[in-house]
């Protein structure tokens, strides 16, 4: 397989689906003339033209609403937010219209739409540009939420999201667009709602997703030197969540650590904790530990930010805690 960047995988997924289906189009701020804020739509304006790669005004509420109406009328828009922090301006269209229109119309309208863009922190971008809202959207019936962690998963899952008849939230990261990974030349998709065991292990299960999973990999490498075997599960899809893969792993390792870049109250890790303790309580040999950011807005100071964001040392401490070491 060839090696390409995360941004190239995203671009390929969108372009391939647009070539197959003329109802698919891309819209958002700077997606056309500028080739995308993160160059994830590079070359698409030249190939598909301004009617299918559309630069919008700085008005998330406006173009999110246009996309929802367009989807209800038979199109399949891909909406790029420059960051999901800015999606808050258009969240009414996502939550109250896209997610609910199938039910409210009695099935008369579908809303095949993908809202995509970066999530969570990306360095010194301060409090209003460093937020992870996966759990907000996953809390909404009618939405699917995907957070890939590598180019291969990003391409396969984005193609599935574009083909899906319902609204999908597809969350990326500014800090992953340059990441490289192996991606096949040919056509492939990855089913929505299927987690993957990225690393086999025996002693403890670590569940994570998105860019923060890199800290789990780094921790597992260090722990292996001490004879501790970590099994790492990448959720890939937050909703629908693949409970079976998590439960199967926990029943094998008997211990669970969850790593998530989000505030600690009412997050994805909380839901996983509930599902495991309710369905596999008798298999647990230690209380579940979840690792999150500090319960404050993201600081701008690099020293404070380093303390705020979970890292591989936090994962190592958590693993040793559940192993009583």
């Amino acid at each position: 397989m060839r090696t390409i960047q995360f941004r190239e995988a995203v671009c390929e997924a969108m372009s391939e689906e647009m070539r197959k289906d003329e109802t698919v189009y891309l819209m958002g701020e700077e997606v056309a003339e500028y080739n995308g804020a993160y160059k994830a739509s590079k070359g698409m304006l030249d190939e598909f033209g301004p009617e299918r790669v559309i630069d919008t005004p700085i008005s998330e509420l406006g173009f999110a609403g246009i996309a929802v109406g367009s989807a209800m009328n038979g199109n399949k828009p891909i909406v790029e937010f420059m960051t999901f922090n800015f999606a808050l301006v258009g969240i009414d269209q996502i939550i109250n219209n896209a997610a609910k229109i199938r039910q409210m119309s009695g099935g008369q309208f579908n809303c095949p739409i993908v809202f995509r863009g970066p999530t969570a922190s990306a360095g010194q971008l301060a409090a209003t540009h460093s937020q992870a809202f996966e759990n907000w959207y996953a809390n909404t019936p009618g939405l699917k939420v995907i957070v890939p962690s590598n180019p291969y998963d990003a391409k396969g899952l984005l193609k599935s999201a574009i083909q899906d008849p319902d609204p999908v939230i597809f969350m990326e990261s500014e800090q992953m667009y340059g990441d490289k990974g192996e991606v096949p030349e040919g056509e492939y998709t990855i089913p929505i709602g299927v987690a993957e065991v990225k690393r086999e292990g025996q002693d403890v299960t670590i569940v994570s997703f998105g860019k923060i999973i890199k800290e789990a990999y780094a921790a597992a490498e260090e722990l292996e030197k001490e004879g501790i075997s970590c099994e790492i599960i990448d959720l890939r899809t937050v909703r629908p969540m693949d409970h079976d893969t998590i439960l199967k792993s926990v029943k094998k390792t008997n211990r669970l650590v969850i790593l998530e870049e989000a505030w600690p109250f009412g997050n994805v890790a909380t839901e996983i904790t509930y599902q495991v303790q309710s369905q596999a309580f008798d298999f647990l040999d230690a209380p579940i530990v979840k690792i999150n950011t500090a319960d404050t807005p993201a600081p701008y100071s690099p020293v404070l930010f380093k303390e705020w964001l979970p890292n591989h040392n936090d994962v190592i401490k958590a693993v040793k805690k559940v192993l009583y070491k």
Side-chain angles (χ1 to χ4, degrees):
M1 289 191 286
R2 75 252 159 84
T3 298
I4 63 173
Q5 291 184 329
F6 192 105
R7 59 168 58 89
E8 293 173 308
V10 169
C11 185
E12 284 189 2
M14 294 190 293
S15 298
E16 288 176 11
E17 293 306 308
M18 287 174 69
R19 291 181 196 121
K20 291 190 299 185
D21 187 344
E22 292 186 355
T23 66
V24 180
Y25 67 92
L26 172 66
M27 69 188 307
E29 296 156 0
E30 300 184 347
V31 299
E33 295 289 345
Y34 191 65
N35 286 312
Y38 311 103
K39 300 299 180 277
S41 54
K42 186 176 181 180
M44 291 180 66
L45 175 63
D46 293 338
E47 179 174 357
F48 299 104
E51 291 188 355
R52 297 184 67 198
V53 182
I54 304 166
D55 277 332
T56 66
I58 303 174
S59 177
E60 286 78 8
L61 179 63
F63 63 78
I66 289 170
V68 172
S70 172
M72 292 169 62
N73 280 278
N75 292 303
K76 296 178 181 178
I78 306 165
V79 175
E80 177 177 308
F81 294 119
M82 199 174 291
T83 155
F84 264 95
N85 296 279
F86 303 155
L88 298 187
V89 183
I91 200 169
D92 177 63
Q93 292 294 343
I94 301 170
I95 301 295
N96 280 329
N97 292 322
K100 296 179 173 63
I101 194 62
R102 180 194 281 271
Q103 185 204 47
M104 292 195 303
S105 70
Q108 295 179 80
F109 289 104
N110 290 351
C111 195
I113 185 169
V114 176
F115 297 100
R116 50 160 294 267
T119 183
S121 65
Q124 278 185 276
L125 297 183
T128 61
H129 290 64
S130 304
Q131 302 167 112
F133 295 123
E134 292 89 323
N135 58 311
W136 285 27
Y137 291 110
N139 188 252
T140 306
L143 296 179
K144 294 169 182 164
V145 181
I146 298 171
V147 193
S149 66
N150 59 75
Y152 176 85
D153 289 351
K155 182 176 180 180
L157 285 164
L158 182 52
K159 288 171 68 70
S160 293
I162 295 167
Q163 296 170 14
D164 199 273
D166 293 308
V168 178
I169 307 294
F170 193 91
M171 299 176 127
E172 302 152 14
S173 168
E174 286 111 315
Q175 293 184 327
M176 290 201 305
Y177 285 118
D179 287 1
K180 293 181 178 180
E182 291 186 338
V183 176
E185 291 276 4
E187 175 82 12
Y188 76 97
T189 58
I190 295 173
I192 296 172
V194 179
E196 183 178 21
V197 178
K198 297 292 191 182
R199 180 186 177 112
E200 297 278 352
Q202 300 296 324
D203 297 324
V204 59
T205 299
I206 304 173
V207 177
S208 189
F209 58 91
K211 80 172 191 293
I212 201 71
I213 199 172
K214 295 177 184 179
E215 300 299 324
Y217 296 143
E221 290 293 328
E222 289 296 316
L223 288 163
E224 187 175 36
K225 298 173 185 176
E226 301 181 36
I228 298 172
S229 172
C230 300
E231 181 148 297
I232 299 177
I233 295 175
D234 187 343
L235 277 184
R236 303 196 294 193
T237 302
V238 171
R239 180 164 184 164
M241 187 181 293
D242 184 357
H243 298 136
D244 290 342
T245 295
I246 299 170
L247 291 168
K248 181 180 178 181
S249 178
V250 170
K251 288 176 181 179
K252 177 176 74 171
T253 67
N254 310 117
R255 292 169 174 85
L256 175 62
V257 170
I258 310 163
L259 172 63
E260 177 187 7
E261 184 180 348
W263 294 309
F265 187 91
N267 51 35
V268 175
T270 304
E271 174 63 16
I272 295 171
T273 299
Y274 169 75
Q275 293 295 337
V276 171
Q277 70 85 23
S278 65
Q279 299 184 61
F281 181 80
D282 290 339
F283 290 89
L284 290 170
D285 288 341
I288 297 167
V289 174
K290 65 190 190 81
I291 308 167
N292 298 109
T293 66
D295 197 15
T296 69
Y300 178 75
S301 159
V303 176
L304 292 175
F305 183 78
K306 186 177 180 181
E307 291 298 314
W308 180 84
L309 187 67
N311 59 48
H312 70 283
N313 289 321
D314 297 318
V315 180
I316 291 171
K317 290 175 185 176
V319 167
K320 290 184 175 180
K321 182 177 181 179
V322 299
L323 288 168
Y324 301 110
K325 292 186 179 235

